[in-house]
Amino acid sequence: MGVPEKMRGVVLTGHGGLETLEWREDLTVPQPEAGQVLIRVHAASVNNTDINTRTGWYSKSVRGDTASGADDGYGGSADADGSWSGVPLTFPRIQGADCCGEIAAVGEGVSPSRLGERVLVRALQAPRDSEDELPIATLGSETNGAFAEFTVVEAMDAIKIQSDYSDLELATFPCAFSTAEGMIQRVGLGAERVLITGASGGVGSAAIQLAKRRGAHVTALTSPSKEADLSNLGADATLGRGDVYPARSFDVIIDLVGGPRWLDLIEALKNGGRYVTAGAIAGPIVELDLRTLYLRDLTLLGCTHQPDNIFTDLVRYIENKEIRPVVSGTYRLQDLREAQQAFLAKSFVGKIGIKVSD
């Protein structure tokens, strides 16, 4: 199948509400430069970062939860630093951190033998020309992503996969599961007691499976209506969001929520316990008594940058059927606004898939 000059996709025209997502049928197909590949995108999925980047929630000017600006954005104050990197985004931007597709063209220095490969793309990438200590570029934020029929990535970030899962199922893995696996490897989780917040979402439900893979005893923080689904994923116990958290009970806490009950999470750690976070959907501003940190020998970890092995490990888990996709719904790419509205309703477990092309 040849590569056309134009493609269809959804572009983000600026930080703001759903009206900033614009369906286009006249986008120019990008060309791979040296060391890059062109991917024909078959499927993508929706992530919190799609919403947060659209609204500008990553800006230091924003202090509220991720839902507070989901409909209308956070105003012009978020324009200056409303991206993962803190560098202003240029628009239009093609979002989409999850990508499953096939290599349709290769740039100079990339073997033509890779043409036709079925690939998953690293959602969190490490630009090799960056001078940062922990370089990071997120697909669909710092670079154009998978909400279009074609996208260009560095060849090293397109990882061949052999699996009988569908493209749509595979597209639910990259961002959420690599975030969860990055947290788990960073905190060194073993056969211990772990509490996972935001457990019904993409990253949280991924963390349940990945923690169980390592022999952990998993307690999932969720709503009563989702307890059965999370038990089916491997959760050993559940807690309601309004429940009293058991004091000094967990070796590790994997937190995606933050917000007003953050101190309750810290009190739920055993002395010497470890806390790791890669999200703050209930709010990013918390208060910590440093005496609690040092007198109880706690370890607090933030986790965004991913060593290269995180994603290749994840692909191996998928190929070995050690983890499975959780697809709660499917939308066409041109219905991305409706998909984000369904995502924001939070009435599902797992991921919402986006069908991009046949």
Side-chain angles (χ1 to χ4, degrees), residues 42-58:
H42 292 318
S45 68
V46 181
N47 291 281
N48 270 311
T49 186
D50 301 321
I51 314 298
N52 296 343
T53 296
R54 168 172 63 76
T55 63
W57 181 82
Y58 295 112

Side-chain angles (χ1 to χ4, degrees), residues 16-18 47-58 62-75 241 256-260 279-284 340-347:
L18 289 167
N47 291 281
N48 270 311
T49 186
D50 301 321
I51 314 298
N52 296 343
T53 296
R54 168 172 63 76
T55 63
W57 181 82
Y58 295 112
V62 178
R63 301 174 66 86
D65 60 52
T66 57
S68 60
D71 291 331
D72 302 315
Y74 293 96
R241 296 190 182 98
L256 303 158
V257 174
I281 61 175
Q340 287 200 9
Q341 287 175 321
F343 181 90
L344 290 166
K346 302 295 184 183
S347 60

Side-chain angles (χ1 to χ4, degrees), residues 53-310:
T53 296
R54 168 172 63 76
T55 63
W57 181 82
Y58 295 112
S59 170
K60 296 294 186 183
S61 67
V62 178
R63 301 174 66 86
D65 60 52
T66 57
S68 60
D71 291 331
D72 302 315
Y74 293 96
S77 61
D79 291 348
D81 60 345
S83 68
W84 282 66
S85 64
V87 176
L89 293 183
T90 57
F91 299 103
R93 174 71 64 192
I94 298 172
Q95 291 190 277
D98 285 324
C99 180
C100 177
E102 65 176 301
I103 295 179
V106 299
E108 182 182 352
V110 181
S111 173
S113 66
R114 296 205 64 184
L115 288 169
E117 272 187 9
R118 192 187 197 197
V119 295
L120 289 180
V121 178
R122 282 191 179 92
L124 280 77
Q125 303 166 0
R128 299 307 192 259
D129 59 353
S130 174
E131 296 181 358
D132 290 345
E133 296 86 353
L134 294 174
I136 185 72
T138 305
L139 187 68
S141 177
E142 282 66 42
T143 63
N144 283 333
F147 290 160
E149 292 177 313
F150 292 88
T151 192
V152 162
V153 301
E154 298 297 318
M156 61 192 173
D157 291 322
I159 309 301
K160 181 178 180 180
I161 187 163
Q162 296 178 310
S163 172
D164 57 10
Y165 286 135
S166 69
D167 293 330
L168 195 71
E169 289 172 323
L170 287 175
T172 64
F173 282 112
C175 185
F177 276 79
S178 66
T179 298
E181 180 67 9
M183 297 169 77
I184 284 170
Q185 290 196 23
R186 182 80 190 277
V187 82
L189 181 66
E192 304 170 277
R193 298 186 69 87
V194 58
L195 174 64
I196 299 172
T197 70
S200 64
V203 180
S205 60
I208 292 173
Q209 293 193 58
L210 292 165
K212 291 303 296 181
R213 181 187 168 276
R214 291 171 177 265
H217 180 282
V218 174
T219 298
L221 190 62
T222 189
S223 59
S225 64
K226 299 173 181 176
E227 290 178 354
D229 289 327
L230 299 189
S231 295
N232 288 336
L233 286 178
D236 300 286
T238 59
L239 278 174
R241 296 190 182 98
D243 290 350
V244 175
Y245 305 161
R248 312 283 173 97
S249 296
F250 300 102
D251 302 288
V252 172
I253 290 177
I254 294 175
D255 184 27
L256 303 158
V257 174
R261 295 203 66 186
W262 188 80
L263 283 177
D264 294 338
L265 292 176
I266 299 303
E267 291 301 320
L269 277 173
K270 295 179 180 178
N271 287 342
R274 291 110 66 205
Y275 165 96
V276 62
T277 181
I281 61 175
I285 309 302
V286 297
E287 183 178 81
L288 171 66
D289 186 332
L290 287 174
R291 291 165 295 190
T292 300
L293 178 63
Y294 73 78
L295 291 174
R296 294 184 52 206
D297 289 285
L298 302 179
T299 299
L300 307 184
L301 296 166
C303 189
T304 295
H305 177 268
Q306 296 178 3
D308 286 348
N309 72 283
I310 297 294

